[in-house]
Amino acid sequence: MSDELLDEFIRQYIELQTTDSVLFTWHGGEPTLRGLDFYRKVVRLQRQYAGGRHIDNALQTNGTLLTDDWCRFLRDEGWLVGVSIDGPEHLHDAYRLDAAGAPTHAQVLKGIARLKQFDVEWNAMATVNQATALEPEAFYHFFKEIGCHYLQFTPVVEREHGEVAPYSVTPDAWGSFLCTLFDEWVRCDVGEVFVQIFDATLAGWIGEEPGVCTMARTCGHAAAIDADGSVYSCDHFVFPENLLGNIRQTPLLALLQSQRQQAFGRSKQYALSRKCKGCQWLFACHGECLRNRFVVGADGDEHQNYLCEGYRRYFSYVAPAMDFMRGELLAGRPPANVMHLFHR
């Protein structure tokens, strides 16, 4: 992204906010490849255009290029860092290799160690693929061992030539993974380890916004901007058919408020399959992400979520604990009391 476009983007993005706090999320690709000077420029521009607003920044990185200078900057500017790491070495290195095909786990751990050394706030961002899904206990215990208190993970569902890629997680494995992980968490770690999907599920149980777009009723709030100023409906839909326009020609606010973007956001709710509409767990997942709705049912019902059966198994399994935690919250008591019911 050129300096001129960066200036324009930051100004427009701050101006369109309706609250006193503004969050920028920097990701790629690997955003640290852009160099530290780029982000120093970002901070200067944010201060120039802040207009009294509080600015927060989040950086999503694989952690391999973090140096002392990087960590000093991140600490001094108060940035939150999400580190992509897929659990213990043998699971992470199954797919996260460098350009030469070499493993990266050790480098990522060094990056995390530097973040800790400089007291940078960080969380872990993992993927659940066909390998990690088979070892949920090892996956979860690893993150506890490295001192991770905030964990989010995304199921890998990719298609190649019209078929689900072999490294994708299966619906059955996804459901089993979530249930096993929940068992580990609900016995000992509620209130100490924050797992995004469990927090989002509890939010759905009490009728609150889940804080994660995949579980929300509508979407369209996670637009992405490319280096040339092109804006897309979502960072999972950076395709020509989801191009909203370019901030060089059309203001960012107009692009995000366009009928096309509003229709994209509403489509999550309006394009639900008949199966979803009749599901008892619709309130908890709202059909999950649009990108995973590519299954055609035996009755010809379209737009069913590939991971549906895994989610149904998970919601059924956690329902008693979620009911209890909901009751505790409504009574003004900590949901962590649920651990008394399940503690070994």
Side-chain angles (χ1 to χ4, degrees), residues 268-285:
K268 181 175 184 186
Q269 183 178 6
Y270 295 151
L272 288 168
S273 68
R274 290 191 296 272
K275 183 177 180 180
C276 274
K277 290 176 181 177
C279 178
Q280 70 181 111
W281 309 119
L282 179 60
F283 73 91
C285 80

Side-chain angles (χ1 to χ4, degrees), residues 74-212:
L74 295 167
R75 176 199 63 198
D76 292 347
E77 299 299 338
W79 286 35
L80 171 66
V81 179
V83 181
S84 298
I85 182 168
D86 288 345
E89 184 176 11
H90 70 286
L91 295 178
H92 176 94
D93 287 340
Y95 294 106
R96 290 194 182 271
L97 307 175
D98 65 16
T104 60
H105 192 263
Q107 291 174 270
V108 180
L109 284 183
K110 287 180 181 177
I112 291 174
R114 279 199 174 94
L115 293 172
K116 291 180 179 179
Q117 177 187 344
F118 283 86
D119 294 321
V120 178
E121 187 178 356
W122 69 282
N123 57 36
M125 306 171 66
T127 63
V128 180
N129 51 55
Q130 61 90 16
T132 50
L134 298 179
E135 299 188 44
E137 295 99 335
F139 177 90
Y140 184 62
H141 292 162
F142 167 80
F143 288 107
K144 290 180 64 176
E145 288 166 4
I146 65 172
C148 174
H149 293 281
Y150 297 89
L151 172 62
Q152 55 182 294
F153 44 81
T154 303
V156 173
V157 179
E158 298 292 341
R159 287 184 288 171
E160 297 176 350
H161 311 295
E163 300 293 332
V164 177
Y167 50 83
S168 299
V169 63
T170 65
D172 182 65
W174 177 236
S176 178
F177 174 87
L178 290 176
C179 292
T180 303
L181 215 68
F182 186 81
D183 273 343
E184 295 286 322
W185 176 78
V186 79
R187 288 188 172 96
C188 303
D189 297 323
V190 182
E192 292 294 327
V193 178
F194 298 88
V195 181
Q196 186 185 55
I197 191 169
F198 301 156
D199 290 345
T201 301
L202 181 56
W205 236 259
I206 62 175
E208 299 289 341
E209 285 296 319
V212 54

